[in-house]
Amino acid sequence: MQRSARTLSSVLHRSCALGAQRSSIVGWKCLAPTRQTDGNFKPMLSVQQLRFYTDKPSAPKFEKEGRAAFTIHNVEEFKRLIESDKIYLFDVREPCEVAKGRPPAKRYLNLPVGRIVLDLRLSPEEFKEKYGVEKPDKDDSDVVIMCWVGIRSTFALQGFHQFGYAKARHFVGGWDEWNKNYPDYHTKK
């Protein structure tokens, strides 16, 4: 009996009883009922095996996950890039969050994540008229995206990549990590 290919999310919903969380190291981590030594079941975080069903004669080939190439992993590297003016920082937090402070990047724009799809479609002239700053070129390698803790910037990064900004990166730690490490080194709006 041949089975049709299933999407990763449908496999996850079937394989994880209480939810799933993506891990870049191991694969998918799932909260799943696990039998304890006393015989009771208790939800615990454990790695679950995923099975992919396909109608092809060979197993699917997985390519190397490439998110690491688009990520600034530590706050020291992020600070160095800001101080050397080597980034065009797009802050995708809401304006009320930015009012609490922001990293002191010279080239900076607060572009809330909900505006990315609309505003990246603007021509360079319309973008400059709306925001008062130059729209970056699609081949610029200095575009860096940040948010509060790295979740919205991950989605924003996907949006930037879809609009042709293939070299755009994001700072995983976001404002939260920046403010913890450099509480007095920021700009208030």
Side-chain angles (χ1 to χ4, degrees):
M1 172 171 141
Q2 290 187 341
R3 297 180 187 215
S4 61
R6 294 184 182 171
T7 65
L8 183 58
S9 62
S10 68
V11 172
L12 282 173
H13 291 301
R14 289 179 179 86
S15 66
C16 298
L18 301 173
Q21 180 182 9
R22 180 72 170 103
S23 166
S24 59
I25 299 170
V26 183
W28 289 91
K29 292 180 181 176
C30 305
L31 282 173
T34 306
R35 185 179 296 274
Q36 302 297 305
T37 54
D38 62 2
N40 293 325
F41 285 96
K42 179 180 178 186
M44 294 187 65
L45 190 64
S46 63
V47 177
Q48 300 291 311
Q49 179 182 9
L50 297 179
R51 293 183 180 169
F52 293 93
Y53 297 98
T54 180
D55 54 358
K56 299 195 185 300
S58 62
K61 300 227 185 297
F62 292 100
E63 306 221 0
K64 183 180 175 193
E65 211 266 335
R67 270 186 300 185
F70 304 111
T71 303
I72 298 172
H73 292 283
N74 64 58
V75 71
E76 292 82 18
E77 179 186 358
F78 186 57
K79 181 181 181 206
R80 184 183 52 76
L81 290 170
I82 288 173
E83 289 175 337
S84 62
D85 193 26
K86 294 195 178 192
I87 64 170
Y88 187 158
L89 184 59
F90 282 82
D91 190 339
V92 296
R93 296 178 294 157
E94 294 298 319
C96 62
E97 295 172 300
V98 174
K100 296 175 183 173
R102 68 171 184 86
K106 292 176 186 155
R107 294 181 299 154
Y108 172 89
L109 178 63
N110 176 223
L111 181 65
V113 71
R115 302 278 325 158
I116 289 172
V117 172
L118 295 171
D119 292 345
L120 288 181
R121 290 181 179 172
L122 297 174
S123 70
E125 296 79 24
E126 293 169 322
F127 193 88
K128 177 148 180 134
E129 184 180 323
K130 182 171 184 172
Y131 291 108
V133 295
E134 298 291 328
K135 183 177 181 182
D137 291 329
K138 291 189 176 185
D139 60 343
D140 282 351
S141 61
D142 58 353
V143 173
V144 176
I145 305 156
M146 69 164 278
C147 64
W148 194 274
V149 293
I151 296 169
R152 286 175 284 180
S153 63
T154 301
F155 292 113
L157 180 65
Q158 292 173 6
F160 271 79
H161 284 184
Q162 286 176 350
F163 279 96
Y165 294 89
K167 296 178 182 176
R169 299 174 289 163
H170 83 114
F171 172 50
V172 176
W175 172 252
D176 188 53
E177 186 174 337
W178 176 269
N179 198 36
K180 283 178 187 172
N181 286 278
Y182 305 108
D184 298 323
Y185 189 48
H186 57 78
T187 304
K188 292 229 180 201
K189 235 181 171 176

